[in-house]
Amino acid sequence: MAKKLEVKNLIISFRTNNGTVKAVRDISFDIEKGETLAIVGESGSGKSVTARAIMGILANNAIPEGGEIIYDGQDLMQIDEEDFHKIRGNRISMIFQDPLSSLNPIVRIGTQLTEAMILNGKANQREARRTYSYKVGLLSAAMKSAGVQDVDSKIKIMNSALEIGSKAERDYNYSRERIESMIKNINDVVIDSINGEPAAVVKEMRLIVKDSQNAYNPFLIDANKSELPALMNRFKDEMTAYKSTGDHKATDATLAKVKSILEAALAKSAPKFFAMGYCKLNNCLPEFDGKGIDAYNQAIERKLNDGFLNGFAADVAKGLEYSNNQAFIAKRGVVSQLDSALSKMSGERIDISVCEQGCKQLAKVVEASLDRLAIRKDSIAYTFKTSIKYAVDTYKHALKVENRNHLNKRDREFKNRMDIELYQNNIRHIISNASDNYKSQLAAAEKIDYIELAHEMITYLDELCSKKVYTVTKRKAQIRAIELMEEVGITDARRRFRQYPFEFSGGMRQRIVIAIALAANPDILICDEPTTALDVTIQAQILELINRLKAERQLSIIFITHDLGVVANMADKIAVMYAGKIVEYGTADEVFYEPAHPYTWALLASMPDLDTTEKLDAIPGTPPNMLFPPVGDAFAERNKYAMAIDLEEQPPMFKISDTHSAATWLLHPDAPKVEPPRIVTERIERMKKLGGE
């Protein structure tokens, strides 16, 4: 599976009047597509700070001291606010703990849902135009360098065909959206007619009549052959009888017939718009008979493939191969430079002048070796420049602080936690990782199918072209907002669209917040304790909703909570955090059935369930003061299994399996054998038995 987000060695502190609070202390994790990662821990453990760092919304007094957050080939710790604005709320969305504070109390729910869609729609159009022009320019240059003839004319044909096809797709989508809206209106008309509200029925039917006149598209409903006008006229006559008799059987039957026509239209396959654009451009587009859309698609695709696409894809493949080969030539040279630099930095103490100059040169050659034409970004190579610069700057500052007698307060704090060897190893690791990454790419070079890549590139450009011409109007945003409200389980969405937040219950407000977060179709959804302010029954509904949305949309979810029980049935992986560090990390089954850290035991022992009859164990004491983090294991003072070494030295992450690790000295080979508390082992046995049954 593809990694959607990687967090590496993240360190974040906060400057306060009393000193610097160490909120997040060197944590790492990743999340894959369609996966849920739960971050669990007590208040103050650093969970929300981690989430806010990913969103780029840390407070002004935050001090990002180290680490990387890699998303789509970018380090989110290094990009500026303008670039973050393209990601925040668009590619990565967040649901906060208190839904009421997330909503404007004096603005209608519908407005709050639609305004983000309209703004994001405009931003996406601009970004699509910019990216399309950039990629087409690179592709054209690569094809010319590969010796392809008549590149400009071929690119012009592609551009024109995609533009015509995208406009046809836009019109088709507009019609489809109107039909979907008509179906929803008809559902309300039927209900209103049963409830005996003639005025409401007439109003809704007028909307349907108006929409039907604008929704005709031959690939959905043929205006010349449609029964809709006759049905509309029949409905008007039936409405007269309905008003006097109150008998709604005839009107319901007519509306049911209208609905069946509309649903049949939506069930049809969509046209192949690129093929349509090419055929229209070359005056060879056949008439659509309104029957076999699949046969029609096959016919126009044959014209596209035989007349242009097969030959063009071969030419694109030559351009991609040329671009990739040029990158490979550069990468071979970079590998030798990376390995050479690594050997120069293998001593006990790296010379800072050699390191600084060498890493600047490495950053330049790595940047020059990037294949900008590639669709999938190489995260390690793309973030090398920012990663190595930060690592070198930190090491350089550490050397200055080490040799300086008079230090300011901030540098004194830095010196107290300074680890020269760690900073040197960070530099070596970044260089070594880049070298290994390029070596693996070079080894797989012969297996690349450039024809397949060419079709992938053309599809990618087609998608960009569609985004260029698709405009999110106020009406479309309203239709989409109502769909989202229904998707998150809000009944009577069309009426509630015009209500204010105070007219909703807590659970309904949280559903609205989820709908707003989903409006831009994000890759990643961060849920920061979204059920804490809700009662238990509503919590279960919200968790079930998030699970369903994850499955339907293939979302990657980061779920933050202080309650392990909340994520028992939804997490794929769990990171247990304490005092700014991840103390245990593994799959949900590993953390629940094979917990290894005493803090995880304590969380499980304090978690209520229906079958536990004895008193739950409370975690003694309080979390440490993170102005002065403990030297050893931060949980040692509250841990009845603590040993002397726990107070003296911080434990490393001991590997239990390929997916499971924990930071506790109890996993050291020389440590005494300690079993989890009886309440935990009994609960695990009970869960295993239930799971087996």
Side-chain angles (χ1 to χ4, degrees):
M1 292 177 73
K3 289 182 181 179
K4 298 301 293 184
L5 184 84
E6 295 178 79
V7 174
K8 302 178 182 178
N9 308 113
L10 185 65
I11 304 171
I12 298 172
S13 301
F14 289 89
R15 194 178 295 108
T16 70
N17 292 334
N18 297 321
T20 303
V21 176
K22 314 299 187 294
V24 175
R25 304 186 296 153
D26 194 16
I27 68 168
S28 299
F29 61 83
D30 58 64
I31 182 168
E32 296 178 345
K33 184 177 181 180
E35 185 176 64
T36 297
L37 168 70
I39 304 179
V40 184
E42 292 172 284
S43 295
S45 60
K47 311 183 301 294
S48 294
V49 172
T50 303
R52 290 168 189 270
I54 295 170
M55 287 294 291
I57 53 173
L58 288 169
N60 291 334
N61 64 332
I63 311 168
E65 297 191 68
E68 301 168 290
I69 302 173
I70 308 300
Y71 172 75
D72 192 28
Q74 301 176 86
D75 182 358
L76 302 186
M77 296 290 284
Q78 304 294 335
I79 64 175
D80 58 28
E81 181 59 25
E82 184 179 348
D83 288 332
F84 228 129
H85 187 68
K86 299 172 186 175
I87 296 172
R88 187 191 303 119
N90 192 13
R91 311 283 293 281
I92 306 176
S93 289
M94 187 167 180
I95 304 168
F96 295 92
Q97 183 172 334
D98 180 10
L100 189 57
S101 64
S102 301
L103 298 169
N104 190 327
I106 60 171
V107 177
R108 296 181 194 273
I109 288 296
T111 302
Q112 298 190 57
L113 271 164
T114 56
E115 64 181 359
M117 293 186 207
I118 294 169
L119 291 172
N120 276 333
K122 292 177 180 177
N124 289 340
Q125 271 190 298
R126 289 194 298 270
E127 183 64 16
R129 280 195 292 267
R130 186 194 67 79
T131 305
Y132 183 87
S133 297
Y134 177 65
K135 289 291 185 182
V136 168
L138 290 176
L139 178 61
S140 176
M143 289 168 67
K144 289 176 181 177
S145 298
V148 176
Q149 301 297 311
D150 300 323
V151 172
D152 290 340
S153 62
K154 291 173 182 177
I155 292 289
K156 185 178 179 181
I157 292 171
M158 181 195 71
N159 286 340
S160 300
L162 288 178
E163 188 81 16
I164 295 168
S166 295
K167 287 178 179 176
E169 183 181 11
R170 176 194 62 192
D171 295 340
Y172 173 88
N173 287 333
Y174 288 172
S175 297
R176 191 178 178 88
E177 287 166 0
R178 286 186 180 279
I179 291 170
E180 289 170 348
S181 176
M182 289 161 67
I183 291 173
K184 290 180 173 60
N185 286 350
I186 284 174
N187 289 334
D188 290 331
V189 167
V190 173
I191 293 168
D192 289 344
S193 64
I194 292 170
N195 294 335
E197 300 175 17
V201 176
V202 172
K203 182 180 177 181
E204 294 296 338
M205 200 59 203
R206 282 174 181 163
L207 285 173
I208 295 170
V209 172
K210 182 180 177 182
D211 273 351
S212 70
Q213 292 168 347
N214 295 316
Y216 285 117
N217 185 298
F219 301 102
L220 291 163
I221 298 172
D222 190 335
N224 297 322
K225 300 176 182 178
S226 175
E227 299 175 63
L228 283 179
L231 288 169
M232 298 300 184
N233 290 329
R234 185 201 303 175
F235 180 81
K236 290 176 185 177
D237 295 336
E238 291 168 347
M239 279 300 301
T240 304
Y242 167 68
K243 290 177 186 178
S244 59
T245 65
D247 183 0
H248 54 74
K249 290 181 181 177
T251 57
D252 289 355
T254 302
L255 291 176
K257 179 65 174 173
V258 171
K259 188 177 177 184
S260 69
I261 293 171
L262 299 177
E263 288 176 338
L266 295 183
K268 293 179 181 178
S269 301
K272 300 295 183 180
F273 295 105
F274 183 19
M276 280 179 60
Y278 173 78
C279 291
K280 192 168 183 179
L281 181 68
N282 290 276
N283 298 315
C284 60
L285 184 66
E287 288 294 325
F288 179 59
D289 60 8
K291 295 178 182 177
I293 184 68
D294 292 330
Y296 184 80
N297 279 337
Q298 290 173 10
I300 61 175
E301 280 200 301
R302 276 196 300 271
K303 291 178 183 290
L304 170 66
N305 292 335
D306 297 342
F308 176 70
L309 189 57
N310 290 339
F312 183 67
D315 290 337
V316 170
K318 291 176 183 176
L320 294 176
E321 185 174 10
Y322 174 84
S323 180
N324 218 354
N325 286 340
Q326 292 300 111
F328 282 154
I329 292 169
K331 286 172 184 177
R332 290 187 186 95
V334 172
V335 166
S336 63
Q337 293 184 59
L338 289 167
D339 291 344
S340 174
L342 202 58
S343 64
K344 292 176 183 176
M345 299 179 195
S346 60
E348 186 175 334
R349 181 65 68 95
I350 300 175
D351 183 278
I352 187 58
S353 60
V354 173
C355 176
E356 197 169 15
Q357 290 299 318
C359 288
K360 278 184 181 178
Q361 181 59 30
L362 287 177
K364 287 180 182 177
V365 295
V366 169
E367 284 281 299
S369 70
L370 294 174
D371 183 4
R372 303 286 180 181
L373 192 51
I375 298 171
R376 291 185 288 271
K377 291 181 179 177
D378 178 356
S379 293
I380 293 173
Y382 267 82
T383 58
F384 180 84
K385 182 178 180 179
T386 54
S387 299
I388 199 69
K389 183 180 185 303
Y390 182 83
V392 171
D393 288 348
T394 306
Y395 176 54
K396 185 178 180 181
H397 185 64
L399 294 178
K400 287 180 180 178
V401 168
E402 183 184 46
N403 298 320
R404 196 181 292 163
N405 294 323
H406 303 289
L407 301 173
N408 58 34
K409 183 180 178 182
R410 187 175 177 183
D411 282 349
R412 281 199 304 274
E413 292 171 351
F414 178 79
K415 188 171 184 178
N416 289 338
R417 61 179 181 276
M418 200 167 72
D419 187 338
I420 297 290
E421 186 176 353
L422 174 65
Y423 302 146
Q424 292 185 117
N425 286 339
N426 282 346
I427 295 170
R428 295 182 186 118
H429 173 73
I430 292 168
I431 296 171
S432 173
N433 204 23
S435 177
D436 291 344
N437 175 49
Y438 273 179
K439 285 174 184 174
S440 65
Q441 289 182 32
L442 292 168
E446 293 180 1
K447 300 177 183 177
I448 297 173
D449 184 340
Y450 286 103
I451 292 291
E452 184 180 328
L453 278 182
H455 284 286
E456 189 178 330
M457 170 61 76
I458 294 166
T459 301
Y460 172 69
L461 294 174
D462 190 4
E463 290 169 356
L464 286 175
C465 207
S466 296
K467 291 177 182 178
K468 282 197 312 175
V469 301
Y470 189 79
T471 304
V472 181
T473 63
K474 187 175 180 180
R475 177 174 174 77
K476 288 204 292 286
Q478 180 176 336
I479 293 169
R480 178 66 179 138
I482 291 171
E483 288 175 350
L484 281 169
M485 290 173 71
E486 291 170 343
E487 186 179 1
V488 299
I490 295 174
T491 56
D492 199 8
R494 292 180 66 255
R495 179 178 63 83
R496 308 207 75 174
F497 180 83
R498 293 187 55 76
Q499 292 182 333
Y500 292 93
F502 68 82
E503 298 179 81
F504 287 71
S505 66
M508 285 293 124
R509 283 196 290 263
Q510 192 62 286
R511 289 172 187 271
I512 289 295
V513 171
I514 293 171
I516 292 172
L518 295 175
N521 256 338
D523 288 334
I524 299 171
L525 181 64
I526 301 174
C527 306
D528 188 1
E529 305 213 38
T531 60
T532 302
L534 308 174
D535 63 58
V536 176
T537 55
I538 303 302
Q539 279 186 16
Q541 292 174 17
I542 296 298
L543 293 175
E544 184 181 339
L545 170 63
I546 292 171
N547 256 346
R548 177 172 61 79
L549 293 171
K550 167 198 163 184
E552 290 174 356
R553 291 167 168 260
Q554 275 294 290
L555 280 168
S556 301
I557 294 177
I558 300 175
F559 196 99
I560 293 168
T561 182
H562 61 273
D563 185 354
L564 263 174
V566 166
V567 296
N569 295 319
M570 67 181 303
D572 298 300
K573 293 190 297 195
I574 296 176
V576 180
M577 278 192 80
Y578 185 78
K581 294 189 76 68
I582 292 176
V583 297
E584 185 159 2
Y585 187 72
T587 66
D589 284 348
E590 288 167 336
V591 172
F592 275 103
Y593 292 108
E594 301 169 12
H597 197 283
Y599 181 59
T600 311
W601 299 346
L603 290 176
L604 289 168
S606 63
M607 185 178 74
D609 67 16
L610 295 174
D611 300 311
T612 300
T613 55
E614 59 188 278
K615 183 180 178 182
L616 296 174
D617 287 349
I619 304 176
T622 57
N625 183 352
M626 297 312 292
L627 285 167
F628 310 101
V631 175
D633 186 349
F635 190 60
E637 294 288 348
R638 308 171 71 187
N639 179 12
K640 62 182 178 183
Y641 307 102
M643 301 175 287
I645 192 172
D646 283 301
L647 300 169
E648 298 168 0
E649 190 174 342
Q650 203 171 96
M653 287 292 278
F654 288 95
K655 184 177 178 180
I656 302 168
S657 71
D658 288 341
T659 55
H660 190 196
S661 56
T664 172
W665 287 114
L666 292 176
L667 292 174
H668 193 280
D670 298 333
K673 180 69 174 174
V674 175
E675 292 294 329
R678 185 168 60 88
I679 188 174
V680 175
T681 55
E682 287 179 354
R683 177 171 286 170
I684 291 170
E685 288 303 315
R686 197 160 57 246
M687 288 192 297
K688 284 182 177 178
K689 185 178 178 182
L690 288 171
E693 293 172 354

